[in-house]
Amino acid sequence: MDKRTELEKLGEFGLIDKLAENIKIHHASTVKGIGDDCAVIDAGEKYMLVTTDTLVENIHFNLMYSPLKHLGYKSAVVNFSDIYAMNGDVRQIVVSIAVSNRFSIEAIEEIYDGIKKACELYQVDLVGGDTTSSTGGLIITITAIGEVAKDEIVYRAGGAEKELLVVSGNLGAAFMGLQILERERQIYLENPSVQPALEGVDYILERQLKPEARKDVVHFLKTLDVKPTSMIDISDGLASEILHLCKAGDLGCTIYDEKIPIDQETFSNAREFNLDPTTCALNGGEDYELLFSIKQSDYDKIKDSEHLKVIGHYTDKNSGANIVARDGSVVALKAQGWNHFSAE
Ligand code: ADP
Ligand code: MG
């Protein structure tokens, strides 16, 4: 009988590693294939960057609380984020949607309004796509194309021991926004006449429903004359992304709990949910912030920036990836992240 291995045995990253085995590269223009935030293609004077992401109804969003316009906006922005993670700039996108007859033309136009808004704001051209029907939920797949000067590109690999690990913005907010939305959805399902309690949570809801990608940070670092030595965007949670950087760079790291930037609204809502704010920041995901390393000699250039926070440094590989808790104890970092394939 044919062998059958359950998806949950490998998890998402194990599956990608398996699919990536024995892929033959035929062209010298393929500079980097699977394994970074974007594929890198030699386009002559510059490198071209390519990335794709899919949002699936009831896996990545719930139409009970995701406004269609925000959903369109988010599906574009999550792709932009991977281009910025290579220190590049986004140029074009193609958009594929699968919809059922549950959706009206107006509803699909709403999604496109959001996509167009993101394109306007980030200065990106929508140049194509595909439209198909779906028997079930809504699926949006966007592929983004970007470019970067050859000497400006930053990979996940490239860091070195003692270099500083820096994050932009703050973490865990989108995850807390999702907890609020899920709580209100449950309440609504039990009693549709109850009004949702959404006061004082605007920031974390926006981080969940309408995130931004850190084009500004890429630009800001250029003005400071700081080129990251390695970089990734934070889509699956800080812990998971740090482990990706360490693996790619053949390094270990030490980060400090007390240095992880967490917004006040995230913090107070985590407490209300009896969640540890640090755990939300480490494992929440969907932050779309940038995580990168810089040389120690660049520290003075970034130290006064309110957008950037040094959270630790790279160490040698044998020390592993660790977090120093507030009481001084050292714990190995684990990526809980999301496992799409785990059995419920
Ligand atoms: P990100 O979180 O930055 O979007 P992913 O974790 O989705 O990155 O993917 C990691 C790497 O694996 C990327 O280089 C991506 O292109 C590649 N990858 C993901 N899924 C597949 C697939 N089904 N086939 C080939 N490559 C894939
Ligand atoms: Mg990424």
Side-chain angles (χ1 to χ4, degrees), residues 226-237:
V226 173
K227 186 190 170 204
T229 54
S230 63
M231 185 148 64
I232 191 168
D233 71 321
I234 305 178
S235 52
D236 295 331

Side-chain angles (χ1 to χ4, degrees), residues 34 43 50 73 76 85 92 130 132 163 181 186 253 283 327 329:
I34 295 171
V50 183
Y73 191 90
Q92 290 91 11
D130 190 31
T132 62
E163 288 181 351
L181 292 165
Q186 286 307 327
C253 73
N283 300 312
D327 64 6
S329 60

